[in-house]
Amino acid sequence: MPYGVNMDADEFYRRLQQNEALKKHVAAVLKTHCSEIKSDLKQSTDFSSAQETITEVYVALLSSFDGKSKEALTQRLAENGNMLMDVLESRNKLLNSIEIK
């Protein structure tokens, strides 16, 4: 039954309070879930631990090439680095777009 229709004042305020309590509970649960999602996303896209390994592999690759092949490899690695930076920037934009009030 909608608010106010065949309802006394006590029933109206009781229902209104129930509604407000429900809204507060749902908001709190959503805030917790959003925080967890944001944290999970941040952890699952953390590249810092892999960065050292990637750097070691790149250094080993670069030291094993000479001349034009080394230049081509350097260019390719630079392109891959730029793509990785774009992914990190997109990740940060996504994480920052998740607002928690």
Side-chain angles (χ1 to χ4, degrees):
M1 154 175 24
Y3 288 134
V5 177
N6 297 329
M7 186 183 303
D8 64 4
D10 289 337
E11 177 69 15
F12 175 80
Y13 286 113
R14 186 183 67 73
R15 283 193 156 185
L16 189 62
Q17 287 175 340
Q18 285 177 340
N19 210 10
E20 290 300 314
L22 180 62
K23 283 198 293 189
K24 286 180 183 179
H25 176 70
V26 168
V29 169
L30 284 174
K31 184 177 180 180
T32 301
H33 286 309
C34 285
S35 294
E36 290 171 0
I37 289 170
K38 190 172 183 177
S39 176
D40 291 346
L41 276 172
K42 193 170 189 174
Q43 290 174 4
S44 68
T45 58
D46 184 15
F47 296 107
S48 60
S49 59
Q51 186 177 2
E52 291 178 22
T53 305
I54 292 169
T55 302
E56 290 174 10
V57 170
Y58 283 175
V59 168
L61 279 171
L62 283 173
S63 63
S64 66
F65 285 86
D66 288 322
K68 290 188 178 192
S69 60
K70 188 172 189 172
E71 290 173 15
L73 181 61
T74 303
Q75 181 180 356
R76 178 62 72 116
L77 292 176
E79 290 169 3
N80 288 343
N82 287 334
M83 285 188 340
L84 179 60
M85 293 306 293
D86 290 343
V87 167
L88 288 172
E89 186 176 325
S90 296
R91 170 192 157 260
N92 288 337
K93 285 180 183 177
L94 172 68
L95 291 175
N96 291 334
S97 72
I98 300 173
E99 293 185 22
I100 301 172
K101 295 182 180 181

XYZ file of all heavy atoms in Angstrom:
798
model
N 0.854 -1.169 0.000
C 0.000 0.000 0.000
C 0.905 1.240 0.000
O 1.863 1.307 0.751
C -0.899 -0.094 1.228
C -1.417 1.179 1.764
S -2.596 1.043 3.118
C -2.339 -0.479 3.900
N 0.609 2.244 -0.848
C 1.433 3.455 -0.906
C 1.340 4.260 0.383
O 0.376 4.130 1.141
C 0.869 4.244 -2.080
C -0.210 3.427 -2.682
C -0.446 2.241 -1.830
N 2.346 5.106 0.584
C 2.347 5.964 1.772
C 1.116 6.849 1.809
O 0.719 7.428 0.809
C 3.578 6.880 1.790
C 4.871 6.165 2.096
C 5.992 6.413 1.332
C 4.960 5.266 3.141
C 7.188 5.772 1.608
C 6.133 4.622 3.422
C 7.255 4.874 2.656
O 8.423 4.239 2.932
N 0.527 6.963 2.981
C -0.547 7.910 3.202
C -1.943 7.421 2.859
O -2.928 8.028 3.266
N -2.077 6.320 2.119
C -3.400 5.848 1.717
C -3.925 4.924 2.821
O -3.343 3.888 3.097
C -3.334 5.093 0.373
C -4.704 4.531 0.005
C -2.817 6.006 -0.717
N -5.035 5.354 3.443
C -5.648 4.576 4.524
C -4.634 4.178 5.596
O -4.592 3.032 6.042
C -6.346 3.327 3.988
C -7.484 3.657 3.064
O -8.138 4.689 3.225
N -7.721 2.804 2.085
N -3.796 5.117 5.989
C -2.728 4.814 6.936
C -2.736 5.910 8.004
O -2.852 7.083 7.686
C -1.401 4.817 6.171
C -0.208 4.401 6.949
S 1.320 4.518 5.960
C 1.002 3.511 4.551
N -2.604 5.497 9.270
C -2.522 6.517 10.302
C -1.091 7.072 10.374
O -0.171 6.544 9.743
C -2.988 5.970 11.660
C -2.116 4.847 12.195
O -1.096 4.524 11.560
O -2.448 4.306 13.258
N -0.905 8.117 11.129
C 0.387 8.812 11.183
C 1.492 7.909 11.715
O 2.633 7.924 11.199
C 0.273 10.077 12.025
N 1.181 7.091 12.715
C 2.202 6.209 13.281
C 2.700 5.197 12.248
O 3.899 4.954 12.122
C 1.652 5.464 14.508
C 1.452 6.381 15.706
O 2.120 7.444 15.743
O 0.637 6.030 16.575
N 1.779 4.610 11.519
C 2.138 3.639 10.478
C 2.959 4.313 9.386
O 3.946 3.769 8.892
C 0.875 3.004 9.891
C 1.125 2.034 8.760
C 1.813 0.737 9.189
O 1.859 0.444 10.405
O 2.305 0.022 8.303
N 2.548 5.533 9.017
C 3.268 6.282 7.994
C 4.726 6.512 8.417
O 5.651 6.245 7.642
C 2.564 7.624 7.747
C 3.292 8.518 6.804
C 3.206 8.331 5.429
C 4.072 9.564 7.282
C 3.885 9.159 4.552
C 4.755 10.394 6.415
C 4.660 10.192 5.047
N 4.952 7.005 9.626
C 6.320 7.274 10.096
C 7.121 5.994 10.319
O 8.332 5.963 10.087
C 6.286 8.141 11.357
C 5.921 9.575 11.037
C 4.717 10.117 11.469
C 6.771 10.365 10.270
C 4.366 11.416 11.151
C 6.425 11.663 9.940
C 5.231 12.190 10.383
O 4.885 13.478 10.061
N 6.442 4.938 10.730
C 7.141 3.659 10.903
C 7.673 3.175 9.555
O 8.818 2.773 9.426
C 6.211 2.616 11.521
C 6.915 1.297 11.862
C 5.951 0.248 12.419
N 4.983 -0.220 11.455
C 5.253 -1.038 10.422
N 6.468 -1.454 10.216
N 4.295 -1.415 9.595
N 6.818 3.246 8.535
C 7.241 2.820 7.197
C 8.331 3.734 6.641
O 9.255 3.280 5.987
C 6.060 2.788 6.248
C 5.189 1.584 6.456
C 4.268 1.460 5.313
N 3.826 0.095 5.179
C 3.079 -0.311 4.193
N 2.709 0.523 3.262
N 2.701 -1.552 4.127
N 8.208 5.008 6.899
C 9.211 5.957 6.434
C 10.562 5.664 7.083
O 11.608 5.663 6.412
C 8.755 7.389 6.753
C 9.570 8.517 6.160
C 9.543 8.473 4.639
C 9.032 9.863 6.641
N 10.559 5.365 8.375
C 11.794 5.022 9.077
C 12.382 3.704 8.560
O 13.596 3.581 8.411
C 11.540 4.936 10.584
C 11.344 6.289 11.225
C 10.965 6.186 12.692
O 10.491 5.147 13.156
N 11.161 7.278 13.424
N 11.531 2.742 8.284
C 12.009 1.478 7.711
C 12.677 1.725 6.368
O 13.740 1.152 6.068
C 10.850 0.494 7.532
C 10.354 -0.141 8.796
C 9.158 -1.056 8.536
O 8.476 -0.937 7.517
N 8.900 -1.957 9.481
N 12.051 2.571 5.572
C 12.582 2.890 4.257
C 13.950 3.574 4.371
O 14.888 3.246 3.642
C 11.593 3.790 3.506
C 11.657 3.591 2.016
O 12.288 2.670 1.542
N 10.990 4.469 1.286
N 14.064 4.519 5.287
C 15.331 5.226 5.498
C 16.405 4.261 6.005
O 17.555 4.328 5.573
C 15.152 6.389 6.470
C 14.351 7.538 5.909
C 14.976 8.140 4.662
O 16.191 8.388 4.654
O 14.239 8.350 3.679
N 16.046 3.374 6.912
C 17.008 2.396 7.431
C 17.482 1.467 6.316
O 18.669 1.146 6.226
C 16.384 1.588 8.566
N 16.557 1.060 5.461
C 16.912 0.202 4.331
C 17.867 0.925 3.381
O 18.859 0.357 2.930
C 15.650 -0.241 3.595
C 15.862 -1.141 2.380
C 16.529 -2.453 2.792
C 14.543 -1.414 1.685
N 17.591 2.196 3.090
C 18.468 2.971 2.206
C 19.872 3.090 2.792
O 20.860 2.959 2.078
C 17.882 4.368 1.950
C 16.741 4.357 0.959
C 16.438 5.722 0.373
C 15.909 6.711 1.327
N 15.426 7.955 0.720
N 19.960 3.341 4.101
C 21.269 3.455 4.758
C 22.016 2.125 4.684
O 23.221 2.088 4.427
C 21.113 3.902 6.203
C 20.761 5.360 6.341
C 20.606 5.752 7.796
C 20.169 7.204 7.918
N 19.983 7.614 9.302
N 21.311 1.038 4.925
C 21.943 -0.284 4.883
C 22.454 -0.601 3.471
O 23.584 -1.055 3.299
C 20.950 -1.352 5.344
C 21.494 -2.745 5.247
N 22.484 -3.206 6.085
C 21.201 -3.759 4.390
C 22.775 -4.455 5.753
N 22.007 -4.815 4.733
N 21.619 -0.357 2.472
C 22.012 -0.623 1.079
C 23.202 0.246 0.693
O 24.148 -0.228 0.060
C 20.816 -0.393 0.125
C 21.263 -0.380 -1.325
C 19.761 -1.463 0.340
N 23.209 1.516 1.088
C 24.322 2.416 0.779
C 25.615 1.917 1.420
O 26.678 1.935 0.793
C 24.008 3.827 1.240
N 25.530 1.453 2.661
C 26.723 0.951 3.349
C 27.265 -0.306 2.668
O 28.471 -0.457 2.474
C 26.403 0.661 4.817
N 26.369 -1.205 2.292
C 26.784 -2.435 1.614
C 27.410 -2.114 0.259
O 28.460 -2.664 -0.105
C 25.587 -3.405 1.461
C 25.941 -4.560 0.540
C 25.157 -3.928 2.817
N 26.804 -1.204 -0.496
C 27.350 -0.817 -1.797
C 28.717 -0.165 -1.648
O 29.622 -0.413 -2.448
C 26.392 0.128 -2.522
C 25.168 -0.528 -3.135
C 24.233 0.531 -3.703
C 25.569 -1.507 -4.227
N 28.874 0.670 -0.634
C 30.166 1.311 -0.403
C 31.242 0.264 -0.124
O 32.340 0.330 -0.661
C 30.057 2.299 0.762
C 31.326 3.074 1.016
C 31.129 4.083 2.128
C 32.407 4.847 2.366
N 32.264 5.847 3.436
N 30.910 -0.725 0.684
C 31.858 -1.805 0.994
C 32.214 -2.578 -0.271
O 33.387 -2.829 -0.544
C 31.258 -2.760 2.042
O 30.959 -2.019 3.218
C 32.208 -3.888 2.360
N 31.201 -2.936 -1.051
C 31.459 -3.693 -2.274
C 32.279 -2.884 -3.266
O 33.184 -3.425 -3.909
C 30.159 -4.162 -2.916
C 29.506 -5.298 -2.198
N 30.164 -6.454 -1.852
C 28.236 -5.460 -1.747
C 29.351 -7.269 -1.226
N 28.160 -6.691 -1.137
N 31.997 -1.596 -3.415
C 32.779 -0.749 -4.323
C 34.225 -0.649 -3.866
O 35.146 -0.692 -4.684
C 32.158 0.640 -4.432
S 30.666 0.688 -5.429
N 34.428 -0.540 -2.572
C 35.801 -0.494 -2.042
C 36.534 -1.788 -2.349
O 37.711 -1.777 -2.734
C 35.785 -0.269 -0.529
O 35.279 0.988 -0.217
N 35.846 -2.903 -2.157
C 36.464 -4.205 -2.433
C 36.784 -4.352 -3.912
O 37.854 -4.842 -4.280
C 35.541 -5.334 -1.966
C 35.421 -5.444 -0.466
C 34.348 -6.421 -0.014
O 33.670 -7.033 -0.874
O 34.186 -6.580 1.209
N 35.876 -3.941 -4.781
C 36.110 -4.027 -6.225
C 37.295 -3.163 -6.615
O 38.168 -3.586 -7.368
C 34.849 -3.613 -7.005
C 33.772 -4.683 -6.857
C 35.168 -3.378 -8.475
C 32.417 -4.279 -7.385
N 37.348 -1.957 -6.083
C 38.452 -1.048 -6.397
C 39.777 -1.647 -5.924
O 40.773 -1.629 -6.651
C 38.208 0.309 -5.738
C 39.154 1.391 -6.179
C 38.722 2.740 -5.626
C 39.642 3.837 -6.126
N 39.215 5.166 -5.673
N 39.782 -2.205 -4.738
C 40.996 -2.827 -4.204
C 41.409 -4.036 -5.043
O 42.586 -4.201 -5.378
C 40.756 -3.253 -2.753
O 41.867 -3.937 -2.252
N 40.437 -4.875 -5.395
C 40.732 -6.052 -6.220
C 41.284 -5.660 -7.581
O 42.230 -6.268 -8.083
C 39.488 -6.923 -6.401
C 39.060 -7.620 -5.119
O 39.865 -7.646 -4.156
O 37.932 -8.129 -5.083
N 40.694 -4.637 -8.187
C 41.184 -4.170 -9.490
C 42.605 -3.663 -9.383
O 43.448 -3.945 -10.238
C 40.290 -3.049 -10.028
C 39.035 -3.460 -10.763
C 38.185 -2.238 -11.059
C 39.383 -4.171 -12.055
N 42.871 -2.920 -8.335
C 44.209 -2.357 -8.154
C 45.231 -3.484 -7.977
O 46.300 -3.451 -8.576
C 44.226 -1.416 -6.956
C 45.458 -0.565 -6.878
C 45.308 0.502 -5.825
C 46.464 1.471 -5.908
N 46.299 2.585 -5.004
N 44.896 -4.478 -7.175
C 45.818 -5.582 -6.935
C 46.007 -6.447 -8.179
O 47.107 -6.900 -8.473
C 45.326 -6.455 -5.780
C 45.429 -5.772 -4.440
C 44.795 -6.587 -3.336
O 44.335 -7.705 -3.547
N 44.761 -6.033 -2.140
N 44.935 -6.667 -8.927
C 45.026 -7.558 -10.085
C 45.746 -6.914 -11.248
O 46.181 -7.599 -12.169
C 43.639 -8.017 -10.521
O 42.900 -6.946 -11.040
N 45.886 -5.599 -11.235
C 46.573 -4.920 -12.333
C 47.869 -4.260 -11.867
O 48.337 -3.316 -12.475
C 45.656 -3.861 -12.979
O 45.250 -2.928 -11.978
C 44.442 -4.495 -13.621
N 48.428 -4.753 -10.779
C 49.679 -4.200 -10.265
C 50.836 -4.808 -11.041
O 51.095 -6.008 -10.976
C 49.817 -4.502 -8.775
C 51.046 -3.868 -8.165
O 51.624 -2.966 -8.815
O 51.434 -4.258 -7.061
N 51.540 -3.958 -11.788
C 52.615 -4.432 -12.644
C 53.994 -4.266 -12.014
O 54.995 -4.611 -12.633
C 52.599 -3.663 -13.972
C 51.357 -3.909 -14.779
C 50.384 -2.940 -14.883
C 51.167 -5.115 -15.427
C 49.236 -3.165 -15.623
C 50.020 -5.349 -16.162
C 49.059 -4.366 -16.265
N 54.075 -3.747 -10.806
C 55.376 -3.446 -10.224
C 56.225 -4.698 -10.023
O 57.441 -4.672 -10.238
C 55.222 -2.684 -8.916
O 54.498 -3.450 -7.987
N 55.598 -5.806 -9.617
C 56.381 -7.026 -9.392
C 56.905 -7.610 -10.700
O 57.992 -8.174 -10.751
C 55.542 -8.061 -8.645
O 54.386 -8.361 -9.391
N 56.130 -7.467 -11.772
C 56.560 -7.985 -13.072
C 57.543 -7.054 -13.767
O 58.274 -7.472 -14.658
C 55.343 -8.201 -13.964
N 57.596 -5.809 -13.339
C 58.440 -4.817 -13.999
C 59.918 -5.197 -13.949
O 60.638 -5.045 -14.934
C 58.227 -3.449 -13.358
C 58.938 -2.322 -14.063
C 58.625 -0.982 -13.437
O 57.909 -0.904 -12.443
N 59.162 0.063 -14.002
N 60.385 -5.696 -12.817
C 61.792 -6.080 -12.695
C 62.142 -7.207 -13.665
O 63.173 -7.163 -14.338
C 62.100 -6.503 -11.258
C 62.058 -5.371 -10.271
C 62.321 -5.839 -8.856
O 62.932 -6.914 -8.672
O 61.917 -5.121 -7.926
N 61.286 -8.212 -13.749
C 61.528 -9.331 -14.655
C 61.537 -8.858 -16.099
O 62.409 -9.251 -16.887
C 60.440 -10.408 -14.472
O 60.400 -10.788 -13.100
C 60.713 -11.619 -15.328
N 60.585 -8.017 -16.450
C 60.520 -7.496 -17.811
C 61.772 -6.701 -18.137
O 62.349 -6.847 -19.226
C 59.245 -6.628 -17.990
C 58.000 -7.511 -17.917
C 59.279 -5.855 -19.296
C 56.704 -6.751 -17.828
N 62.237 -5.890 -17.205
C 63.443 -5.091 -17.418
C 64.646 -5.994 -17.645
O 65.455 -5.757 -18.563
C 63.690 -4.168 -16.212
O 62.550 -3.333 -16.026
C 64.916 -3.308 -16.427
N 64.790 -7.034 -16.856
C 65.913 -7.959 -17.014
C 65.881 -8.637 -18.387
O 66.912 -8.781 -19.052
C 65.893 -9.019 -15.909
C 66.239 -8.485 -14.542
C 66.059 -9.524 -13.443
O 65.851 -10.713 -13.763
O 66.124 -9.128 -12.273
N 64.682 -9.048 -18.822
C 64.547 -9.693 -20.126
C 64.897 -8.714 -21.242
O 65.612 -9.056 -22.189
C 63.117 -10.251 -20.312
C 62.880 -10.710 -21.736
C 62.872 -11.402 -19.339
N 64.410 -7.478 -21.136
C 64.710 -6.471 -22.158
C 66.216 -6.190 -22.241
O 66.777 -6.085 -23.322
C 63.958 -5.169 -21.883
C 62.493 -5.190 -22.251
C 61.671 -4.123 -21.963
C 61.917 -6.288 -22.878
C 60.318 -4.128 -22.302
C 60.571 -6.305 -23.222
C 59.784 -5.220 -22.931
O 58.465 -5.230 -23.271
N 66.865 -6.068 -21.106
C 68.316 -5.816 -21.093
C 69.058 -6.987 -21.730
O 69.981 -6.796 -22.537
C 68.814 -5.546 -19.655
C 70.320 -5.561 -19.575
C 68.276 -4.214 -19.153
N 68.642 -8.201 -21.403
C 69.284 -9.376 -22.000
C 69.074 -9.414 -23.507
O 70.001 -9.706 -24.275
C 68.749 -10.653 -21.358
N 67.865 -9.094 -23.947
C 67.585 -9.057 -25.384
C 68.418 -7.997 -26.093
O 69.027 -8.257 -27.138
C 66.103 -8.782 -25.643
C 65.160 -9.964 -25.543
C 63.716 -9.481 -25.608
C 65.426 -10.964 -26.652
N 68.452 -6.815 -25.536
C 69.197 -5.724 -26.168
C 70.692 -6.031 -26.265
O 71.334 -5.695 -27.259
C 68.985 -4.415 -25.413
C 67.650 -3.730 -25.651
C 67.485 -2.537 -24.719
C 67.525 -3.280 -27.096
N 71.224 -6.660 -25.241
C 72.661 -6.944 -25.256
C 73.020 -8.061 -26.232
O 74.181 -8.208 -26.605
C 73.146 -7.289 -23.852
O 72.517 -8.463 -23.400
N 72.026 -8.834 -26.686
C 72.321 -9.936 -27.605
C 72.181 -9.556 -29.073
O 72.450 -10.365 -29.942
C 71.416 -11.134 -27.285
O 70.078 -10.811 -27.568
N 71.760 -8.311 -29.364
C 71.597 -7.860 -30.743
C 72.590 -6.756 -31.066
O 73.075 -6.054 -30.179
C 70.168 -7.339 -30.972
C 69.132 -8.416 -31.081
C 68.523 -8.938 -29.948
C 68.771 -8.924 -32.317
C 67.568 -9.931 -30.041
C 67.800 -9.923 -32.416
C 67.199 -10.424 -31.274
N 72.879 -6.607 -32.372
C 73.770 -5.549 -32.846
C 73.172 -4.867 -34.062
O 72.322 -5.435 -34.754
C 75.140 -6.122 -33.242
C 75.975 -6.542 -32.042
O 75.924 -5.830 -31.031
O 76.652 -7.590 -32.125
N 73.628 -3.651 -34.334
C 73.277 -2.943 -35.560
C 71.803 -2.650 -35.711
O 71.111 -2.259 -34.783
N 71.317 -2.857 -36.990
C 69.922 -2.523 -37.305
C 68.932 -3.389 -36.550
O 67.839 -2.944 -36.201
C 69.680 -2.636 -38.813
C 70.366 -1.554 -39.604
C 69.958 -1.579 -41.044
C 70.641 -0.433 -41.780
N 70.098 -0.217 -43.103
N 69.288 -4.621 -36.293
C 68.376 -5.480 -35.533
C 68.217 -4.962 -34.111
O 67.125 -5.029 -33.540
C 68.862 -6.926 -35.532
O 70.149 -7.021 -34.951
N 69.301 -4.419 -33.557
C 69.217 -3.838 -32.211
C 68.331 -2.596 -32.232
O 67.524 -2.380 -31.323
C 70.605 -3.491 -31.692
C 70.635 -3.061 -30.245
C 72.058 -2.919 -29.752
C 72.099 -2.704 -28.265
N 73.455 -2.755 -27.738
N 68.458 -1.771 -33.281
C 67.620 -0.579 -33.413
C 66.142 -0.968 -33.548
O 65.272 -0.339 -32.937
C 68.056 0.246 -34.618
C 69.401 0.919 -34.449
C 69.884 1.591 -35.730
O 69.068 1.774 -36.662
O 71.066 1.923 -35.788
N 65.878 -1.987 -34.368
C 64.496 -2.437 -34.562
C 63.919 -2.961 -33.255
O 62.762 -2.685 -32.915
C 64.436 -3.513 -35.645
N 64.726 -3.728 -32.532
C 64.277 -4.264 -31.247
C 64.033 -3.135 -30.252
O 63.028 -3.141 -29.531
C 65.300 -5.257 -30.689
C 64.933 -5.904 -29.351
C 63.643 -6.703 -29.469
C 66.058 -6.782 -28.857
N 64.917 -2.160 -30.237
C 64.752 -1.019 -29.339
C 63.464 -0.272 -29.656
O 62.714 0.114 -28.751
C 65.960 -0.066 -29.457
O 67.152 -0.794 -29.171
C 65.847 1.090 -28.500
N 63.189 -0.082 -30.958
C 61.962 0.601 -31.360
C 60.737 -0.192 -30.916
O 59.775 0.357 -30.391
C 61.931 0.809 -32.876
C 60.700 1.538 -33.355
C 60.696 1.738 -34.869
O 61.646 1.393 -35.556
N 59.599 2.280 -35.373
N 60.773 -1.506 -31.123
C 59.640 -2.359 -30.727
C 59.432 -2.323 -29.208
O 58.301 -2.241 -28.728
C 59.900 -3.794 -31.193
C 58.826 -4.784 -30.794
C 57.486 -4.433 -31.419
N 57.519 -4.714 -32.817
C 56.770 -5.606 -33.426
N 55.880 -6.270 -32.736
N 56.863 -5.808 -34.703
N 60.529 -2.377 -28.462
C 60.415 -2.321 -27.004
C 59.849 -0.978 -26.552
O 59.050 -0.917 -25.615
C 61.775 -2.582 -26.349
C 62.327 -3.995 -26.515
C 63.714 -4.093 -25.910
C 61.406 -5.021 -25.887
N 60.250 0.094 -27.225
C 59.718 1.418 -26.891
C 58.214 1.475 -27.162
O 57.446 2.024 -26.358
C 60.446 2.496 -27.679
N 57.787 0.894 -28.282
C 56.355 0.854 -28.595
C 55.595 0.058 -27.545
O 54.514 0.467 -27.091
C 56.135 0.246 -29.979
C 56.602 1.113 -31.122
C 56.611 0.385 -32.461
O 56.201 -0.800 -32.514
O 57.027 1.000 -33.452
N 56.153 -1.092 -27.142
C 55.510 -1.908 -26.113
C 55.449 -1.159 -24.781
O 54.461 -1.250 -24.052
C 56.239 -3.234 -25.934
C 56.018 -4.172 -27.104
O 55.103 -3.992 -27.893
N 56.878 -5.165 -27.236
N 56.528 -0.434 -24.479
C 56.538 0.366 -23.252
C 55.462 1.433 -23.271
O 54.787 1.669 -22.258
N 55.290 2.073 -24.427
C 54.241 3.092 -24.554
C 52.854 2.475 -24.398
O 51.972 3.060 -23.759
C 54.344 3.816 -25.900
C 55.526 4.754 -25.944
O 55.982 5.232 -24.914
N 56.033 5.001 -27.136
N 52.654 1.288 -24.969
C 51.362 0.612 -24.816
C 51.110 0.275 -23.346
O 49.997 0.431 -22.849
C 51.308 -0.664 -25.667
C 51.131 -0.391 -27.131
S 50.826 -1.807 -28.229
C 51.380 -3.226 -27.366
N 52.156 -0.188 -22.649
C 52.016 -0.521 -21.232
C 51.671 0.724 -20.425
O 50.812 0.683 -19.536
C 53.300 -1.166 -20.697
C 53.308 -1.551 -19.226
C 52.201 -2.554 -18.926
C 54.646 -2.113 -18.820
N 52.304 1.838 -20.749
C 52.004 3.086 -20.042
C 50.562 3.519 -20.299
O 49.889 4.009 -19.392
C 52.977 4.193 -20.458
C 54.417 3.931 -20.019
S 54.595 3.595 -18.256
C 54.147 5.162 -17.583
N 50.077 3.308 -21.532
C 48.680 3.623 -21.842
C 47.734 2.751 -21.022
O 46.705 3.224 -20.530
C 48.398 3.445 -23.337
C 49.080 4.494 -24.198
O 49.506 5.540 -23.654
O 49.197 4.255 -25.419
N 48.083 1.466 -20.881
C 47.252 0.552 -20.081
C 47.242 1.007 -18.620
O 46.184 1.038 -17.979
C 47.774 -0.901 -20.195
C 47.147 -1.791 -19.141
C 47.511 -1.445 -21.579
N 48.412 1.371 -18.106
C 48.479 1.832 -16.719
C 47.661 3.108 -16.524
O 46.962 3.266 -15.522
C 49.936 2.073 -16.305
C 50.786 0.822 -16.111
C 52.243 1.203 -15.893
C 50.276 0.000 -14.954
N 47.736 4.008 -17.492
C 46.970 5.251 -17.401
C 45.467 4.954 -17.438
O 44.698 5.519 -16.664
C 47.358 6.189 -18.542
C 46.724 7.555 -18.444
C 47.200 8.495 -19.541
O 48.371 8.420 -19.932
O 46.362 9.286 -19.995
N 45.063 4.049 -18.323
C 43.648 3.674 -18.407
C 43.193 3.026 -17.110
O 42.082 3.269 -16.628
C 43.423 2.716 -19.572
O 43.710 3.339 -20.788
N 44.047 2.184 -16.538
C 43.745 1.527 -15.265
C 43.538 2.572 -14.178
O 42.574 2.513 -13.412
C 44.872 0.584 -14.896
C 44.797 0.036 -13.492
C 46.128 -0.652 -13.147
N 46.318 -0.721 -11.740
C 47.076 0.104 -11.016
N 47.718 1.080 -11.581
N 47.185 -0.037 -9.732
N 44.449 3.548 -14.126
C 44.329 4.585 -13.100
C 43.072 5.413 -13.298
O 42.401 5.775 -12.331
C 45.570 5.488 -13.103
C 46.779 4.768 -12.550
O 46.651 3.814 -11.797
N 47.962 5.210 -12.929
N 42.721 5.698 -14.551
C 41.485 6.441 -14.821
C 40.276 5.641 -14.352
O 39.338 6.187 -13.770
C 41.364 6.761 -16.303
C 42.269 7.876 -16.760
C 42.095 8.143 -18.241
C 43.051 9.209 -18.723
N 42.940 9.433 -20.172
N 40.291 4.327 -14.624
C 39.187 3.476 -14.186
C 39.080 3.464 -12.671
O 37.996 3.635 -12.113
C 39.368 2.041 -14.710
C 38.376 1.023 -14.159
C 36.969 1.316 -14.685
C 38.783 -0.374 -14.534
N 40.222 3.268 -11.993
C 40.196 3.217 -10.527
C 39.745 4.543 -9.946
O 38.996 4.575 -8.961
C 41.582 2.846 -9.986
C 42.027 1.413 -10.262
C 43.460 1.205 -9.790
C 41.104 0.416 -9.587
N 40.194 5.652 -10.536
C 39.796 6.957 -10.021
C 38.344 7.288 -10.340
O 37.739 8.123 -9.670
C 40.720 8.051 -10.582
C 42.115 7.932 -10.019
O 42.321 7.414 -8.933
N 43.094 8.393 -10.768
N 37.778 6.644 -11.363
C 36.385 6.917 -11.711
C 35.404 6.219 -10.773
O 34.235 6.571 -10.725
C 36.104 6.489 -13.157
O 36.075 5.072 -13.259
N 35.892 5.237 -10.033
C 35.032 4.556 -9.070
C 34.967 5.430 -7.826
O 35.910 5.502 -7.061
C 35.571 3.149 -8.711
C 35.644 2.281 -9.958
C 34.696 2.506 -7.632
C 36.314 0.952 -9.721
N 33.868 6.124 -7.683
C 33.709 7.045 -6.552
C 33.079 6.327 -5.373
O 32.124 5.576 -5.535
C 32.838 8.222 -6.949
C 33.491 9.120 -7.973
C 32.653 10.355 -8.260
O 31.818 10.723 -7.415
O 32.839 10.917 -9.335
N 33.659 6.566 -4.239
C 33.123 5.988 -3.010
C 32.748 7.148 -2.107
O 33.589 7.943 -1.729
C 34.159 5.074 -2.324
C 34.550 3.955 -3.260
C 33.615 4.538 -1.023
C 35.694 3.121 -2.764
N 31.473 7.242 -1.819
C 31.004 8.354 -0.988
C 30.804 7.909 0.427
O 30.532 6.829 0.739
C 29.707 8.935 -1.557
C 29.929 9.561 -2.903
C 28.651 10.171 -3.398
C 28.879 10.809 -4.747
N 27.716 11.436 -5.287
